[in-house]
Structures are given as C-alpha cells and as structure tokens.
Amino acid sequence: MDTWKMLYGGIFSSKINNNANLTLPETVFTAIDNAPGNPVPLAMMHFQYNKLNDNAVSLKLLQVVNNQIVEVPGAASPYLTKQLFAVAPQSLYFNSLTASFVFKQSLWFSNSGKTVQKLEINFNNESGYKAASWEAAVSYTFSKEGQKTIYFR
C-alpha cells in the first residue's frame, strides 16, 4: 500500500494544470485507511498521463528559443501517452491460510474514462485467475503458510 500511495502522490504532484481532475491525496488515503477491513479492500488506480519524449529535441518537436523550451509550430506532439495501473490491498498480513479481498468501487481512481469490464485475481498461481466483481468478497485458502504474491487484472 505504501508503494500504491507513492504512485498516487507522484501522479497528483506531477500535474501541471487543472485539466487533470484528481482527488487530493489526503482524501484518497483517508478513504483507503478508513474502509472496513474484512474482507480486505483493494485500492485500484488506472491513469493515463503524458511524458515528455526523451528525443523531442532531436526529433525537432521541441526547440530552445531564448533559453526557453518551446514546441515547434506544426510539429507532432512532444509528449508520449503512458499508462499507470496499480492495485494494492489495505492490509498485507493474515492470521490464517484464508485470504479474502473485495474490489471497492469507492477505492477505484482513474482518469481514463474507461469502464472496468472484468476483475480477476490470482492467488499466488495456486488456482489461476478467478473472476471477481465489485463489492463481492473473493476468498482463497492457501495450501501452506508463507509469503504470497497475488496478481490482479
């Protein structure tokens, strides 16, 4: 969750204008921290963002004029569209072999304008991907104790 929060904070702090309508990080983090914890809620984000093309000057998309970087008139955009997708559970530790998670719509953050068509979870490759849906718990009982990697898509 710490990494998820850093990613969200990074996206929020990198916006350079008000075209990106993002919720304040403190509001997002409070919503995650205060969500009921059984089953464990999952916070999800999918953001599209722009990154300056590293080759923008050599591609003549940008030029330096009077010590300022400016776009070349009529040139293609010097920006590349990138995707950020991340899922993180509110809690990482369980006292039994059974883990239960829930995809919470209130913890879905996105600027993509896309609708989620399918939610899936894979419990450490023990069972393959299992279908999930918003607000419905999905559980799995592991065959043995220990650290697990859980995949989401």
PDB file of all heavy atoms in Angstrom, residues 86-102:
ATOM      1  N   ALA A  86      -2.327   0.183 -10.967  1.00  0.00           N
ATOM      2  CA  ALA A  86      -1.822  -0.402  -9.721  1.00  0.00           C
ATOM      3  C   ALA A  86      -2.993  -0.836  -8.857  1.00  0.00           C
ATOM      4  O   ALA A  86      -4.040  -0.187  -8.828  1.00  0.00           O
ATOM      5  CB  ALA A  86      -0.962   0.608  -8.967  1.00  0.00           C
ATOM      6  N   VAL A  87      -2.795  -1.948  -8.156  1.00  0.00           N
ATOM      7  CA  VAL A  87      -3.763  -2.484  -7.204  1.00  0.00           C
ATOM      8  C   VAL A  87      -2.990  -2.805  -5.933  1.00  0.00           C
ATOM      9  O   VAL A  87      -1.889  -3.345  -5.997  1.00  0.00           O
ATOM     10  CB  VAL A  87      -4.435  -3.775  -7.734  1.00  0.00           C
ATOM     11  CG1 VAL A  87      -5.431  -4.320  -6.726  1.00  0.00           C
ATOM     12  CG2 VAL A  87      -5.087  -3.538  -9.081  1.00  0.00           C
ATOM     13  N   ALA A  88      -3.583  -2.474  -4.796  1.00  0.00           N
ATOM     14  CA  ALA A  88      -2.925  -2.803  -3.528  1.00  0.00           C
ATOM     15  C   ALA A  88      -3.973  -3.090  -2.462  1.00  0.00           C
ATOM     16  O   ALA A  88      -4.994  -2.403  -2.378  1.00  0.00           O
ATOM     17  CB  ALA A  88      -2.031  -1.655  -3.067  1.00  0.00           C
ATOM     18  N   PRO A  89      -3.711  -4.104  -1.638  1.00  0.00           N
ATOM     19  CA  PRO A  89      -4.617  -4.391  -0.523  1.00  0.00           C
ATOM     20  C   PRO A  89      -4.348  -3.437   0.633  1.00  0.00           C
ATOM     21  O   PRO A  89      -3.215  -3.013   0.854  1.00  0.00           O
ATOM     22  CB  PRO A  89      -4.265  -5.829  -0.146  1.00  0.00           C
ATOM     23  CG  PRO A  89      -2.838  -5.978  -0.546  1.00  0.00           C
ATOM     24  CD  PRO A  89      -2.648  -5.094  -1.752  1.00  0.00           C
ATOM     25  N   GLN A  90      -5.406  -3.127   1.357  1.00  0.00           N
ATOM     26  CA  GLN A  90      -5.276  -2.275   2.541  1.00  0.00           C
ATOM     27  C   GLN A  90      -4.366  -2.917   3.581  1.00  0.00           C
ATOM     28  O   GLN A  90      -3.639  -2.243   4.293  1.00  0.00           O
ATOM     29  CB  GLN A  90      -6.675  -2.026   3.117  1.00  0.00           C
ATOM     30  CG  GLN A  90      -6.728  -1.183   4.355  1.00  0.00           C
ATOM     31  CD  GLN A  90      -8.086  -1.276   5.002  1.00  0.00           C
ATOM     32  OE1 GLN A  90      -8.513  -2.350   5.403  1.00  0.00           O
ATOM     33  NE2 GLN A  90      -8.772  -0.144   5.081  1.00  0.00           N
ATOM     34  N   SER A  91      -4.395  -4.241   3.662  1.00  0.00           N
ATOM     35  CA  SER A  91      -3.603  -4.969   4.643  1.00  0.00           C
ATOM     36  C   SER A  91      -2.816  -6.067   3.937  1.00  0.00           C
ATOM     37  O   SER A  91      -3.277  -6.643   2.956  1.00  0.00           O
ATOM     38  CB  SER A  91      -4.526  -5.594   5.691  1.00  0.00           C
ATOM     39  OG  SER A  91      -3.804  -6.404   6.569  1.00  0.00           O
ATOM     40  N   LEU A  92      -1.644  -6.389   4.476  1.00  0.00           N
ATOM     41  CA  LEU A  92      -0.783  -7.392   3.859  1.00  0.00           C
ATOM     42  C   LEU A  92      -0.646  -8.672   4.665  1.00  0.00           C
ATOM     43  O   LEU A  92      -0.035  -9.624   4.201  1.00  0.00           O
ATOM     44  CB  LEU A  92       0.619  -6.813   3.653  1.00  0.00           C
ATOM     45  CG  LEU A  92       0.734  -5.656   2.672  1.00  0.00           C
ATOM     46  CD1 LEU A  92       2.155  -5.114   2.670  1.00  0.00           C
ATOM     47  CD2 LEU A  92       0.336  -6.098   1.287  1.00  0.00           C
ATOM     48  N   TYR A  93      -1.176  -8.700   5.869  1.00  0.00           N
ATOM     49  CA  TYR A  93      -0.925  -9.824   6.751  1.00  0.00           C
ATOM     50  C   TYR A  93      -2.226 -10.494   7.164  1.00  0.00           C
ATOM     51  O   TYR A  93      -3.223  -9.831   7.456  1.00  0.00           O
ATOM     52  CB  TYR A  93      -0.155  -9.369   7.995  1.00  0.00           C
ATOM     53  CG  TYR A  93       1.155  -8.731   7.631  1.00  0.00           C
ATOM     54  CD1 TYR A  93       1.287  -7.355   7.592  1.00  0.00           C
ATOM     55  CD2 TYR A  93       2.253  -9.513   7.285  1.00  0.00           C
ATOM     56  CE1 TYR A  93       2.493  -6.761   7.223  1.00  0.00           C
ATOM     57  CE2 TYR A  93       3.455  -8.939   6.924  1.00  0.00           C
ATOM     58  CZ  TYR A  93       3.570  -7.562   6.896  1.00  0.00           C
ATOM     59  OH  TYR A  93       4.749  -6.992   6.529  1.00  0.00           O
ATOM     60  N   PHE A  94      -2.202 -11.836   7.214  1.00  0.00           N
ATOM     61  CA  PHE A  94      -3.368 -12.620   7.579  1.00  0.00           C
ATOM     62  C   PHE A  94      -2.983 -13.610   8.666  1.00  0.00           C
ATOM     63  O   PHE A  94      -1.873 -14.124   8.673  1.00  0.00           O
ATOM     64  CB  PHE A  94      -3.918 -13.361   6.354  1.00  0.00           C
ATOM     65  CG  PHE A  94      -4.379 -12.424   5.275  1.00  0.00           C
ATOM     66  CD1 PHE A  94      -3.500 -11.956   4.311  1.00  0.00           C
ATOM     67  CD2 PHE A  94      -5.694 -11.994   5.247  1.00  0.00           C
ATOM     68  CE1 PHE A  94      -3.920 -11.078   3.334  1.00  0.00           C
ATOM     69  CE2 PHE A  94      -6.117 -11.114   4.267  1.00  0.00           C
ATOM     70  CZ  PHE A  94      -5.241 -10.652   3.316  1.00  0.00           C
ATOM     71  N   ASN A  95      -3.921 -13.896   9.553  1.00  0.00           N
ATOM     72  CA  ASN A  95      -3.667 -14.819  10.658  1.00  0.00           C
ATOM     73  C   ASN A  95      -4.113 -16.242  10.359  1.00  0.00           C
ATOM     74  O   ASN A  95      -4.118 -17.086  11.247  1.00  0.00           O
ATOM     75  CB  ASN A  95      -4.360 -14.319  11.933  1.00  0.00           C
ATOM     76  CG  ASN A  95      -3.738 -13.033  12.430  1.00  0.00           C
ATOM     77  OD1 ASN A  95      -2.537 -12.834  12.311  1.00  0.00           O
ATOM     78  ND2 ASN A  95      -4.559 -12.160  12.976  1.00  0.00           N
ATOM     79  N   SER A  96      -4.509 -16.501   9.131  1.00  0.00           N
ATOM     80  CA  SER A  96      -4.930 -17.850   8.771  1.00  0.00           C
ATOM     81  C   SER A  96      -4.493 -18.122   7.335  1.00  0.00           C
ATOM     82  O   SER A  96      -3.945 -17.249   6.663  1.00  0.00           O
ATOM     83  CB  SER A  96      -6.448 -17.994   8.901  1.00  0.00           C
ATOM     84  OG  SER A  96      -7.102 -17.298   7.869  1.00  0.00           O
ATOM     85  N   LEU A  97      -4.750 -19.315   6.857  1.00  0.00           N
ATOM     86  CA  LEU A  97      -4.407 -19.660   5.482  1.00  0.00           C
ATOM     87  C   LEU A  97      -5.387 -19.049   4.477  1.00  0.00           C
ATOM     88  O   LEU A  97      -5.115 -19.039   3.279  1.00  0.00           O
ATOM     89  CB  LEU A  97      -4.378 -21.182   5.311  1.00  0.00           C
ATOM     90  CG  LEU A  97      -3.263 -21.925   6.042  1.00  0.00           C
ATOM     91  CD1 LEU A  97      -3.428 -23.434   5.871  1.00  0.00           C
ATOM     92  CD2 LEU A  97      -1.905 -21.478   5.526  1.00  0.00           C
ATOM     93  N   THR A  98      -6.516 -18.555   4.944  1.00  0.00           N
ATOM     94  CA  THR A  98      -7.531 -17.980   4.068  1.00  0.00           C
ATOM     95  C   THR A  98      -7.370 -16.469   3.973  1.00  0.00           C
ATOM     96  O   THR A  98      -7.266 -15.785   4.993  1.00  0.00           O
ATOM     97  CB  THR A  98      -8.949 -18.335   4.568  1.00  0.00           C
ATOM     98  OG1 THR A  98      -9.076 -19.753   4.602  1.00  0.00           O
ATOM     99  CG2 THR A  98     -10.009 -17.743   3.657  1.00  0.00           C
ATOM    100  N   ALA A  99      -7.354 -15.981   2.752  1.00  0.00           N
ATOM    101  CA  ALA A  99      -7.300 -14.541   2.487  1.00  0.00           C
ATOM    102  C   ALA A  99      -8.562 -14.152   1.731  1.00  0.00           C
ATOM    103  O   ALA A  99      -8.979 -14.857   0.807  1.00  0.00           O
ATOM    104  CB  ALA A  99      -6.065 -14.198   1.658  1.00  0.00           C
ATOM    105  N   SER A 100      -9.179 -13.031   2.132  1.00  0.00           N
ATOM    106  CA  SER A 100     -10.385 -12.535   1.471  1.00  0.00           C
ATOM    107  C   SER A 100     -10.191 -11.078   1.096  1.00  0.00           C
ATOM    108  O   SER A 100      -9.745 -10.275   1.921  1.00  0.00           O
ATOM    109  CB  SER A 100     -11.599 -12.653   2.392  1.00  0.00           C
ATOM    110  OG  SER A 100     -11.890 -13.996   2.648  1.00  0.00           O
ATOM    111  N   PHE A 101     -10.534 -10.763  -0.143  1.00  0.00           N
ATOM    112  CA  PHE A 101     -10.396  -9.405  -0.659  1.00  0.00           C
ATOM    113  C   PHE A 101     -11.716  -8.952  -1.265  1.00  0.00           C
ATOM    114  O   PHE A 101     -12.553  -9.776  -1.640  1.00  0.00           O
ATOM    115  CB  PHE A 101      -9.314  -9.343  -1.742  1.00  0.00           C
ATOM    116  CG  PHE A 101      -7.946  -9.687  -1.245  1.00  0.00           C
ATOM    117  CD1 PHE A 101      -7.430 -10.964  -1.416  1.00  0.00           C
ATOM    118  CD2 PHE A 101      -7.167  -8.748  -0.601  1.00  0.00           C
ATOM    119  CE1 PHE A 101      -6.165 -11.295  -0.965  1.00  0.00           C
ATOM    120  CE2 PHE A 101      -5.900  -9.066  -0.133  1.00  0.00           C
ATOM    121  CZ  PHE A 101      -5.392 -10.338  -0.324  1.00  0.00           C
ATOM    122  N   VAL A 102     -11.860  -7.636  -1.407  1.00  0.00           N
ATOM    123  CA  VAL A 102     -13.025  -7.081  -2.084  1.00  0.00           C
ATOM    124  C   VAL A 102     -12.581  -5.879  -2.920  1.00  0.00           C
ATOM    125  O   VAL A 102     -11.826  -5.034  -2.451  1.00  0.00           O
ATOM    126  CB  VAL A 102     -14.153  -6.697  -1.091  1.00  0.00           C
ATOM    127  CG1 VAL A 102     -13.716  -5.614  -0.121  1.00  0.00           C
ATOM    128  CG2 VAL A 102     -15.408  -6.288  -1.834  1.00  0.00           C
TER     129      VAL A 102
END
